[in-house]
Amino acid sequence: MKKILALLLLAALCAGTAWYALPLWPATIPAGGLNLSVRQGSSLARLANDLQRQEVAPAFVVQAVARIRGSARKLRAGEYLFESPQTVADILSAIEAGNAKQLAVTVVEGSRLSDVYALLAGAPAQPGVATFAAGTLPARSALREALASDAISAGASATAPFDSLLEGYFFPDTYFVAPGSSATALLRLMHKRMREELARAWEQRSPDTPLKTPYEALILASIIEKETGREADRPLVGSVFVNRLRIGMRLQTDPTVIYALGDKFDGNLRKVDLQTDTPYNTYTRNGLPPTPISLPGRASLRAAVAPPASEFLYFVARGDGSSEFSRNLAEHNRAVAKYQLSR
């Protein structure tokens, strides 16, 4: 009987020692550091086997420490970098906390939603971004439901194609995301940011703006964004379009026509394109197109709602990224001859 009690006591002591000692098990980190990828939905067993395969720690130690810590259901997806010294508990603690290396996902101003989708799907334009968990990029037809937002089509024309109702409502910026995270989560964040930026811009609108709703401001800002890449020119470009809206003059802006052409646009806008009537042809129709045509940035939003007072009704590209502004058609024709026809 005494022997049995002694064995039980010894076992308890060993278990107690293991309880405290195992988490301190030193991890073998390579000289250049350990890059460890934890995928969405990855199991504890898979993580333990990965660490054993890379000779960081035995799988049974990793699993035991995870159970002691209660880590098995707390693993967060991402790509992690570990450098010496580390213990197995340190590694698990970092994965529980989600302290992953982050990747910068840059959505440039003037992008379209289709560009964003190509980027998040890992298009060659930005290698390394294809680290979102599989199945987390919603079909564009289901994106509105995924965002659970009524703000997307508020004020949109009933004639707008469904797919285009999503255009413009995502703020272009650099976002930092952990590999293995959800692409839908990033889209939600971009959408939230645009709603905030648009609301902030709308609060600062000029009292006499011809724009009736924030959605109209978003549409106009998306046009300004496509008309010039020069931030200093955006306010005056905004003033031209606002002046035209005030007097009922057609916007006559090429980017809206190009948007309607979609993949058929080959870089050359033809006369027949300007004469073919579509909801987006601002040469044949009055007012704004039915939806935004791009993702505008903060400067374009501001230029849409509160442009400086001016008498300009026309502008033409000088060829160096800047624009020449004119008050009437005669001035504009001279500018076209100088900066466009001469080239």
Side-chain angles (χ1 to χ4, degrees), residues 193-232:
R193 283 282 310 282
M194 180 55 86
R195 291 179 65 182
E196 293 170 350
E197 295 287 347
L198 179 58
R200 190 174 297 115
W202 187 246
E203 288 176 356
Q204 299 170 352
R205 67 189 182 277
S206 299
D208 61 344
T209 178
L211 303 173
K212 299 180 179 63
T213 65
Y215 191 73
E216 288 189 355
L218 184 64
I219 294 173
L220 182 55
S222 75
I223 297 172
I224 296 170
E225 192 67 63
K226 296 300 288 186
E227 276 287 7
T228 178
R230 191 168 184 262
E231 186 165 339

Side-chain angles (χ1 to χ4, degrees), residues 239-303:
S239 76
V240 167
F241 290 134
V242 165
N243 288 341
R244 287 189 172 204
L245 288 171
R246 283 197 181 108
I247 64 176
M249 183 178 176
R250 288 178 180 171
L251 297 184
Q252 295 182 321
T253 171
D254 293 354
T256 61
V257 180
I258 293 170
Y259 181 80
L261 289 172
D263 294 337
K264 292 185 291 186
F265 180 62
D266 60 4
N268 184 23
L269 193 61
R270 299 167 176 83
K271 186 176 182 180
V272 65
D273 299 325
L274 301 179
Q275 294 174 336
T276 302
D277 183 53
T278 75
Y280 289 88
N281 191 335
T282 51
Y283 285 88
T284 61
R285 299 203 180 191
N286 296 328
L288 295 165
T291 72
I293 61 169
S294 73
L295 279 57
R298 190 175 293 119
S300 292
L301 289 170
R302 175 69 178 174

Side-chain angles (χ1 to χ4, degrees), residues 1-8:
M1 185 68 178
K2 289 182 179 180
K3 284 185 176 181
I4 294 175
L5 289 174
L7 288 172
L8 289 173

Side-chain angles (χ1 to χ4, degrees), residues 143-154 169 191-192 195:
L143 181 55
R144 184 178 179 187
E145 182 178 349
L147 294 173
S149 171
D150 294 330
I152 295 176
S153 59
Y169 246 118
H191 176 59
K192 179 175 180 288
R195 291 179 65 182

Side-chain angles (χ1 to χ4, degrees), residues 40 97 119:
Q40 197 81 15
L119 177 66

Side-chain angles (χ1 to χ4, degrees), residues 7-22:
L7 288 172
L8 289 173
L9 180 59
L10 180 61
L13 288 172
C14 289
T17 301
W19 181 273
Y20 289 100
L22 277 177

